[in-house]
Amino acid sequence: MSDELPAYAERVLEVVESIPPGRVMTYGDVAEWLGEGGPRQVGRVMALYGGAVPWWRVVRADGMPLPGHEARALEHYRTEATPLRPTAGGEPRLDMRRARWDGYSGPDGGPGGPDGGPGGPDGGRDEAHT
């Protein structure tokens, strides 16, 4: 393998770097934003190359912290004031309704996306997928 990042991996990492502090996207959200691949492909990129980006901002759809990295992720979530809620067992979980970033609104709900524009490749996300 070359030292150069595969093009898909580079695009995934660019999206991850654009997620504002205190917000998250699911693996599927990132794939949908890019218009290619799926959650498993994004997960593979994150597993291989995600250490240099804010990996804790890409999560499973159920809002549970990444298995094996819960303590580190929770530390980041608390530092960034990412919305959390307790599970029935009292363990912290992301409050996905409040923490999930749509990829095209800024951290305060205003406009902005990975390129500062209105949204993904199609100019915005299909609301049916939120």
Side-chain angles (χ1 to χ4, degrees):
M1 184 170 153
S2 75
D3 291 336
E4 193 171 312
L5 218 53
Y8 181 72
E10 193 169 317
R11 289 191 299 277
V12 167
L13 298 179
E14 285 174 2
V15 172
V16 174
E17 288 179 324
S18 74
I19 302 170
R23 304 299 294 272
V24 298
M25 289 180 95
T26 67
Y27 294 97
D29 290 342
V30 173
E32 183 179 336
W33 175 266
L34 292 170
E36 63 181 304
R40 290 180 189 267
Q41 289 80 11
V42 171
R44 181 74 175 147
V45 168
M46 294 302 294
L48 293 173
Y49 309 108
V53 298
W55 54 266
W56 60 92
R57 296 183 192 151
V58 181
V59 300
R60 297 177 353 182
D62 67 2
M64 291 300 290
L66 184 64
H69 300 279
E70 298 92 344
R72 286 180 55 212
L74 285 169
E75 187 177 312
H76 287 293
Y77 298 144
R78 289 183 175 121
T79 299
E80 295 182 355
T82 307
L84 299 170
R85 64 179 181 83
T87 63
E91 302 210 2
R93 171 185 294 209
L94 288 161
D95 183 341
M96 293 300 288
R97 187 177 54 76
R98 293 175 36 226
R100 196 172 193 176
W101 188 53
D102 59 17
Y104 64 106
S105 64
D108 61 355
D115 62 358
D122 63 357
R125 202 169 141 185
D126 178 358
E127 292 300 316
H129 292 94
T130 58

